[in-house]
Amino acid sequence: MAGPLTVPRLPPHDPGTPALSVVDMHTGGEPLRIVLAGCPEVVGPTLLAKRRYMRQHLDHVRRRLMFEPRGHRDMYGAVLVPSELPDAHLGVLFLNNEGYSSMCGHAVLALGRFALDFGLVPAPPADAREALVNIHCPCGLVAAFVECEGGRSRGPVRFHSVPAFVLAADFLVDVPGHGKVVVDVAYGGAFYAFVSAEKLGLDVCSAKTRDLVAAASAVTEAVKAQFKINHPDSEDLAFLYGTILTDGKDTYSEEPTTNICVFADEQVDRSPTGSGVTARIALQYHKGLLELNQTRAFKSSATGSVFTGKAVREAKCGDFKAVIVEVSGRAHYTEYLM
């Protein structure tokens, strides 16, 4: 019997086009493509400067990784870079079908596991049950806590967010095709508009995804046109990332509340959206619907996957009252491509 077929480590390729090696993961069904090697140097004294540099000079890398034939319109990516923060183990730039986001919770959950398994953080003691990974995201430093055994990750991860706050609550936006709609805008490392899908004539749990996408996109464009987004720390963070349609069940319950996030260029998050859960927890706490350390479950209407979240302590962001939010989920490896 013939032995196994031997193949070269890399297929023939144009030497002028660097080969990118990646690890593919997912959290709650939402993909994450992490670049291991092959990305040109991302220049800049700060992480936000590196984000600007990559957008201006290396966007071809994002397009290669995200779009077909290597990706798809809902692919998500991460490029690891050095951080200027002394407490950070790594810095990260997030990639999507439109550009570069400021925060991504499902990616942080996956990157925590990846960083531990690939030796990007000091090995924890053999008897440790959790390892700390400090990840510098464009929005700030995020602490991930990776469940482990024998120094290796096991899957569950939680993170503590940057200060999350409500920019505007219960204001009216004129949405074409839907009239005046009550909208909230909250920040969880990225800004989202929040609307109960029922106000748009839809059931977030049963409506067709294309109808939810169309409605969410209409809200996003309306808010961008009628409301100015601002962030007290940086103009780089002052943009509306997308709209999250909810089932309207914001009052505390032990039952999961369902939502769907449509972000970037009508990209659909398969997970409950980590930064969206962060912002939604801040919104519920702001409205007096949730107490500190009261855990809620959030379900994705796209896949049924679940994250949990809770406000762990109060904080400030500029003049805004804010909370630090803990989000928990489970990350998985899917593929290692050289």
Side-chain angles (χ1 to χ4, degrees):
M1 180 181 293
L5 179 66
T6 301
V7 297
R9 187 172 181 83
L10 284 174
H13 65 284
D14 179 0
T17 303
L20 294 166
S21 23
V22 303
V23 170
D24 279 0
M25 302 183 71
H26 82 85
T27 311
E30 179 69 358
L32 181 68
R33 176 161 288 169
I34 305 167
V35 179
L36 279 181
C39 182
E41 181 184 6
V42 185
V43 178
T46 66
L47 191 68
L48 286 175
K50 289 180 172 72
R51 180 170 173 261
R52 291 191 292 270
Y53 181 90
M54 186 154 189
R55 180 192 291 121
Q56 294 166 9
H57 302 287
L58 297 174
D59 198 55
H60 62 280
V61 175
R62 178 188 66 85
R63 295 194 301 270
R64 282 182 66 193
L65 291 165
M66 298 295 99
F67 297 155
E68 294 184 16
R70 300 171 186 88
H72 51 82
R73 70 166 289 106
D74 292 325
M75 179 57 77
Y76 205 92
V79 173
L80 306 185
V81 296
S83 167
E84 74 274 14
L85 300 182
D87 292 335
H89 293 112
L90 65 148
V92 60
L93 302 177
F94 299 120
L95 320 178
N96 56 51
N97 71 1
E98 181 183 58
Y100 304 85
S101 57
S102 54
M103 172 57 184
C104 180
H106 93 271
V108 165
L109 295 169
L111 285 168
R113 185 174 188 187
F114 171 87
L116 177 61
D117 292 340
F118 279 74
L120 301 183
V121 295
D127 60 349
R129 291 292 174 262
E130 201 170 56
L132 170 66
V133 181
N134 285 326
I135 302 173
H136 185 188
C137 305
C139 64
L141 192 64
V142 176
F145 304 89
V146 184
E147 190 173 311
C148 60
E149 185 174 0
R152 303 287 292 180
S153 71
R154 300 186 65 248
V157 185
R158 60 190 177 95
F159 71 79
H160 283 183
S161 71
V162 296
F165 61 90
V166 175
L167 184 62
D170 299 321
F171 68 99
L172 286 175
V173 173
D174 190 2
V175 181
H178 299 281
K180 300 286 187 180
V181 177
V182 177
V183 176
D184 301 304
V185 174
Y187 178 80
F191 284 103
Y192 296 96
F194 291 88
V195 181
S196 170
E198 186 179 28
K199 297 182 186 300
L200 303 170
L202 296 168
D203 183 336
V204 75
C205 299
S206 62
K208 293 179 179 178
T209 300
R210 64 174 175 264
D211 295 333
L212 295 169
V213 169
S217 297
V219 172
T220 297
E221 294 308 310
V223 173
K224 285 180 178 179
Q226 299 169 45
F227 183 80
K228 180 174 173 54
I229 301 292
N230 61 82
H231 190 283
D233 292 341
S234 173
E235 278 300 308
D236 286 275
L237 307 176
F239 64 96
L240 187 69
Y241 192 31
T243 290
I244 296 178
L245 302 181
T246 78
D247 59 7
K249 297 177 181 178
D250 289 320
T251 302
Y252 176 74
S253 169
E254 294 184 358
E255 294 299 315
T257 175
T258 301
N259 55 228
I260 188 170
C261 177
V262 180
F263 65 98
D265 183 12
E266 297 192 333
Q267 191 162 339
V268 177
D269 196 333
R270 272 81 168 149
S271 80
T273 310
S275 56
V277 166
T278 301
R280 200 170 169 205
I281 288 281
L283 183 61
Q284 291 174 355
Y285 184 78
H286 173 84
K287 292 186 174 185
L289 303 174
L290 197 66
E291 299 176 0
L292 288 178
N293 293 305
Q294 199 169 37
T295 300
R296 286 216 70 181
F298 297 83
K299 185 165 71 171
S300 163
S301 76
T303 62
S305 61
V306 175
F307 289 168
T308 59
K310 61 182 177 181
V312 294
R313 65 180 183 274
E314 294 182 337
K316 292 278 286 184
C317 187
D319 292 330
F320 290 98
K321 293 181 179 180
V323 286
I324 302 300
V325 176
E326 179 179 290
V327 176
S328 301
R330 180 180 285 269
H332 306 267
Y333 291 100
T334 55
E335 196 164 13
Y336 179 32
L337 303 173
M338 292 296 293

